[in-house]
Amino acid sequence: MKKIEAIIRPEKLTDTIKGLKQIGITGFTVSQVVGRGKQKDTQGVYRGKNYKVTLHPKVKLEIILSDYMVERTIRTIVDAAQTGEDGDGKIFVYPVLEAYNIRTGTLDFDIDELANRQEGRA
């Protein structure tokens, strides 16, 4: 299993979710975050005074999925979220060793359907 964290522009969230649903990814977590990368600072105005915006609003998607879905999921996120401008975001991929069901307190084998089929747990 893998965990994908994708930091994207907030205005690209709807398109990204549509793309994920089209490939069968329906479970994910979405968080509002702020961050700093190559995107340039911008100017804001509050009560008539200018200020510099150095942290930009972003959205973080977290998805746990089977290894065989990683490349397809990354391609889907890139296709949906890419504008070609600085600040489009990043995608990180991490290994997931175990997952637990909080309700039952047991290992959750349902997250990784491919592993279930390979190990005869389906």
Side-chain angles (χ1 to χ4, degrees), residues 37-90:
K38 290 184 181 179
Q39 191 173 1
K40 303 218 185 302
D41 294 344
T42 57
Q43 292 291 321
V45 178
Y46 180 72
R47 295 189 176 183
K49 297 196 181 214
N50 290 335
Y51 66 96
K52 187 188 286 189
V53 178
T54 59
L55 295 176
H56 303 283
K58 301 290 178 187
V59 174
K60 179 166 71 168
L61 284 163
E62 297 175 84
I63 308 163
I64 308 297
L65 41 67
S66 297
D67 291 348
Y68 78 98
M69 286 293 293
V70 171
E71 283 187 44
R72 188 171 183 198
T73 302
I74 290 170
R75 177 59 27 217
T76 298
I77 294 168
V78 169
D79 289 346
Q82 187 177 62
T83 69
E85 301 292 325
D86 285 344
D88 276 353
K90 295 276 190 219

Side-chain angles (χ1 to χ4, degrees), residues 1 4 10 18:
M1 287 186 296
I4 293 178
K18 283 180 188 175

Side-chain angles (χ1 to χ4, degrees), residues 85-104:
E85 301 292 325
D86 285 344
D88 276 353
K90 295 276 190 219
I91 297 173
F92 305 98
V93 180
Y94 306 96
V96 174
L97 303 179
E98 297 175 336
Y100 288 85
N101 182 312
I102 292 175
R103 181 180 55 82
T104 64

Side-chain angles (χ1 to χ4, degrees), residues 21-39:
K21 285 182 179 179
Q22 286 176 350
I23 65 168
I25 304 288
T26 57
F28 46 83
T29 301
V30 177
S31 305
Q32 292 182 353
V33 296
V34 294
R36 176 92 184 140
K38 290 184 181 179
Q39 191 173 1

